[in-house]
Amino acid sequence: SWPRRYNEIVLQVEDENTLARKFYEKRGYVALFSDPACRKFDTTGWMLRRVPTTKVAMRKMLSGSRSSTSFSSEGQFSFDSFFGKIIGK
């Protein structure tokens, strides 16, 4: 159980990592958006290199959570309202 001040859990997973995405989806996470501007470290060579990757932001609403604004009355951020305002929902 989570303290009531938390409404949601948000994480990022690499787009090509289908096993991880399925793992989170089975546990109630929903994809919000893809971010093609992310970077990861390539560890295959002698030196670490930052290479482009696409990450998917995923969210799971916690039980009993509800939000109507970007910030709840307790000051907690809500992705639902934030992205709804951005895309005009």
Side-chain angles (χ1 to χ4, degrees), residues 1-87:
S1 72
W2 292 87
R4 288 188 58 84
R5 68 179 182 264
Y6 299 111
N7 297 327
E8 56 202 4
I9 299 173
V10 178
L11 57 86
Q12 284 186 324
V13 62
E14 289 186 24
D15 189 41
E16 68 264 10
N17 192 344
T18 57
L19 288 176
R21 290 183 64 183
K22 288 178 184 177
F23 173 86
Y24 289 117
E25 287 169 357
K26 285 181 180 179
R27 283 150 183 84
Y29 286 81
V30 177
L32 296 174
F33 61 89
S34 294
D35 184 359
C38 290
R39 300 284 184 261
K40 68 178 180 178
F41 287 104
D42 178 7
T43 60
T44 59
W46 288 93
M47 299 187 61
L48 286 177
R49 292 182 311 134
R50 290 185 67 173
V51 295
T53 189
T54 298
K55 290 189 180 180
V56 177
M58 301 184 80
R59 176 190 57 196
K60 180 178 182 177
M61 299 302 292
L62 299 175
S63 63
S65 64
R66 57 187 186 284
S67 59
S68 60
T69 61
S70 294
F71 286 89
S72 68
S73 60
E74 297 87 25
Q76 295 298 313
F77 181 78
S78 165
F79 276 94
D80 258 345
S81 297
F82 178 75
F83 287 109
K85 290 176 184 175
I86 289 176
I87 60 174

